[in-house]
Structures are given as C-alpha cells and as structure tokens.
Amino acid sequence: MSHEVVVVGGGIGGLTVAALLAARGTDVCVLERQSQVGGCVTNFETFEYQFEPTMGLYTCWGSGEAHQRIFSELPVEAPEARAVDQPVTRLSDGSEVAFASSNYVFEERLRQSFPECSEAAIEFYRQLSKIAEPLLQALRRVPDLPTASQRQRMYAFAPRVDRVRQLRRLKKRILDEELKNTSQRFREFIELQLRVFTAARLDDSAYLPSCALLHSVQQGLFAIRGGAANLAERLAESIQQSGGKVRLNSSVLRLSYDPSGKATGVDLLSGENLIATKAIVSNMTVWDTYGKLIGLQRTPPEIKKVLGGLSSPGAYLIHAGIDEDAANSLRSNHFLIANDSAQATEELIDPSRIGVAIAPEWDPRAPEGKRAATIMFSADVSQWFTFHSDVEEQEAKDQAALETGWAALHKRMPELGNAIEVIDTANPLTCYETTRRKLGMVGGIGLSPGLLEGQQLNHRTTLPNVFMVGDTVFPGAGIGAVSLGAFAVANEIAPR
Ligand SMILES: Cc1cc2nc3c(=O)[nH]c(=O)nc-3n(C[C@H](O)[C@H](O)[C@H](O)COP(=O)(O)OP(=O)(O)OC[C@H]3O[C@@H](n4cnc5c(N)ncnc54)[C@H](O)[C@@H]3O)c2cc1C
C-alpha cells in the first residue's frame, strides 16, 4: 500500500497537517494507534459526562487567526468556538486578580491588586503588549511564521520590518529578568499563568513566547463546543471528505528504509509496511520520533544529548461534577490558584498550583442540573513510573494523589462545599496508556530559551523527507501553537 504522505498520530498536530494536505489534493493517510482521534484532547466520557482533559481555554480562534485560516481551506465547518470570560487568579495570600481585555480596565485592576508595585506591573504589561500585538498581527498575515523565510518575515511585519531585528534581539531574554522591579505577589501572578498553561518555570521561560501567552490570557481566550475533541473529529471528517484516509487502531513501530538509508515508509505493529512516496510526518513526541520512529542508531549524538536534557511534567486530573447553581454563582468558569502553604504528598502531585476548568453554561457536558469540571495538578512522573509497581500500588498512589488534590481544592475554594463530587481521575500512568507520551509527560516542553534558540529541534528531522508536528516541536500556547506549526509543515510539503 502506498500514499504520498503518511502521518503518524492523529492528535491535533497530525490531523491538522493531514486535513490541509488532503484539501490541497495530496494523497494522505493518518495512522492512529487508538480507537479514536484526538490524542491529548480526547474527552473522557462516563455517566453522561464528557470531561475535557485540558483547561478548556484556547488561543488563535479570533477573526483572521490560525483556525479561521485553516478551516477556510477545508470542506467542513469549524467547530463553534466562543470567547469566554477570562480566568480568575487566586494568589496564595487569598487575594484575587481578574483579567480584562480593555487595557484601561486591566491597568486599574493591576493598580488595585498590586499597590506595592503598581507602576512596574503596568509597565511590564505595556511592554509585553508592544511585543505581543505586532507578533500576533504578523502571525495573522503569515501563519507559518515559525518556519518562514527571511523575505516572508519581512512581509509579515511590513511596514515595520525593523521589528524582525528587534524580536531577534529579544530571543535570548528571560522572562524573570523583566520582572526585577515587581513584587513577589506579582511574580506569583505571572508564574501561576505560566505553570497552569505551559508547565513552564519563571526562571526558565523565554521572554518572547511568554509575552504572546500572557497577552492572550489577558485579552481573552475561547472555549470550543464539545471541547477540543470536537476539533479533532471535524479535522478527521475533513480528511475523509477530501479523499484522505484515517486509520484507527493502527500502531506504527518504526520507519522503513531502503539500502541507501532513505526513509521509504512505516512498519506497523500488524506487520504491514506502508510506503510514503513524498513525506512522512510524525505527530509523536520528539523523544518517540527519534527513539522509536527514526531509531536511536540513526539519531546523531548532538540530538540525543538535547533529547536527554528535555523533560516535562505529567498531569493529574480530577474529573468532577458540579451543581449548576454553584457553578453559576462563581466569578468565572476558570480559576488559576496558588496554594503556597501546600506540601506535596510524596511528590506524587504538586498541590501548590491548581487549574480549575468548568464547562461553559452553554455547553455543560453533564447530566441535567450539573456541569463537568476538570481540576488539574502537575505531577512528577518519576514518582508514578517506578519498577515493580503493581495494580494495587498504582491504585494506592492514585488515591493518595486524589486526597491531596481534593483537600487542596477545598482549602482554596471553600465556596464549592458539597456542590462538587469526584467522578473519576486521570494520572500519568493512565495518560501514558491513552497518549503513549513518554512517561506520561503530557505538558509540552515549556518555553525554555535554550530550546527555542537551538537549531536541533524544529519541524525538520535529520531525514529530509521526515517532518514533525506537535507541542514538543511547536511549544507555546497549547493547540494554538500546534495548529500554527501544522500549517507551517503543510506549506512546506505542499505549498498552496
Ligand atoms: C492537563 C493539560 C491541560 C491542557 N490545557 C490546554 C488548554 O486549555 N488549551 C490548549 O490549547 N492546550 C492545552 N493543553 C495542551 C494540548 O492538549 C496539547 O498540547 C495538544 O493536544 C498536543 O497535541 P499534539 O498533536 O502535539 O499531540 P498528541 O495529542 O499527543 O497526539 C499524538 C497522537 O499520536 C498517537 N500516537 C502515538 N504513538 C503512536 C504510534 N506509535 N502509532 C500511531 N499513533 C501514535 C497518539 O495516540 C496521539 O493520538 C493541555 C495539556 C494538558 C496535559
């Protein structure tokens, strides 16, 4: 069997690149090991609930932004995405900071919330929007900016082409340095956003992508009806309508090579070999693309070194049902909570940062009178993947993590009281089973400046006809960054 392009993995990255290629007339086939598409965004369905395994907040859905550009090429409608109220941040001293898309209102709130450093905090956000706004505008003009040529970059920023140089200069800056004149509380406010949305640390986050993320959170994000899983399903439908194939339950083992060392296609677990005459796109993580697909023997030592130094945390999720009346009485459907007095129990999860995501009132994803909610913690994967661990031990770990997380949630959101009940949980072990991400590391790879600067890890691999898409090569603001990256790779394989 042969196709022009074979895509390994049906997450948002793989599906987006395949949908664009199929719509442009390329013969494309997606191979997904699970029985459904979506990867990290696959909903967990139980007892009439549909739980999103994410914060449920998405970037790049505004007018002229990436998703509109992508769906303008596809034969199917985009899922409904609505702008939603910004999250509320609850700091460890109990104070709350609400965002506002109007700069004037937001600056007033910063003044009230951070009297100890209000001018520095306002200046920080002013500088940040001076960088983020032209960057996001340029991305509207040239969505494949991350891989664009120098000429296209100039066009993206025209007539202010000097901005290309300015941005290049900013590439090495660390976010932490820009916060020097601000208070500990303000730093906590910024760190909370980074931790919940990208699992990144303040002292290891590049300034440039952090600006884009923080600006997007302030300006407002979007929720998708049915969750991002609905986006995955639309993309799969689009691939099929354009004549492409989506094969489920199809695990890929490795690339196949001809005697000269050129990648010719993929070997499936079933023993089948599928030939790719033009390109192979991996939606697996960078670790698995090199470690499994390309093979460690063919991975150059400098790449092995970079990969060895990369890691990301896992996630521990509590899926809960919340009474509709209680949800309606909250200030927002999304909370970012700092809980500095919390001690991690055996470090299974970190209860000092909590993300709370409640399904919107217009899409409750729950039985009558309830709404689905997902409570998120970061988890140290090494504590979950230990040798000789049996099912009983794993259940005991899950129970301990649940108790820690549930207590932390109630301590910091006492207003929830009895209006919320646990329905199920997901931990790094169960995440590994559903996504096959290395040791359950599901949070992308942060915003580390070394990583973004390095030339070794990008959408190209060491093989000229093998490309990568996904959040470990296009890190940043979740599926927004993944979709932009997939657009860039599609343009490289089959320019419009
Ligand atoms: C707790 C949490 C909250 C998040 N919240 C948000 C949010 O609010 N907003 C946002 O935008 N983003 C969020 N994200 C990030 C977002 O979900 C991910 O970045 C994105 O879904 C990753 O997509 P991907 O295409 O890179 O990879 P994946 O989703 O991992 O897709 C890879 C696919 O490849 C398949 N695969 C793997 N190995 C093989 C193989 N050998 N053969 C065939 N198929 C294979 C997998 O089954 C999977 O379907 C969150 C992530 C987490 C963990």
Side-chain angles (χ1 to χ4, degrees), residues 85-107:
D85 288 344
Q86 288 102 327
V88 167
T89 50
R90 198 168 276 189
L91 303 183
S92 53
D93 65 3
S95 58
E96 281 191 352
V97 190
F99 296 93
S101 45
S102 144
N103 286 341
Y104 176 77
V105 176
F106 185 54
E107 288 187 3

Side-chain angles (χ1 to χ4, degrees), residues 6 67 102 111 133 153 156 164 187 202 206 216 224 258 269 314 328 359 362 427 455 466 477:
V6 170
H67 290 102
S102 144
R111 247 181 222 110
E133 271 165 18
R153 283 182 191 191
V164 179
R187 288 165 57 84
L202 262 192
S216 301
I224 302 173
D258 70 11
L269 187 61
N328 290 341
W362 45 271
N427 62 48
Q455 290 305 302
V466 181

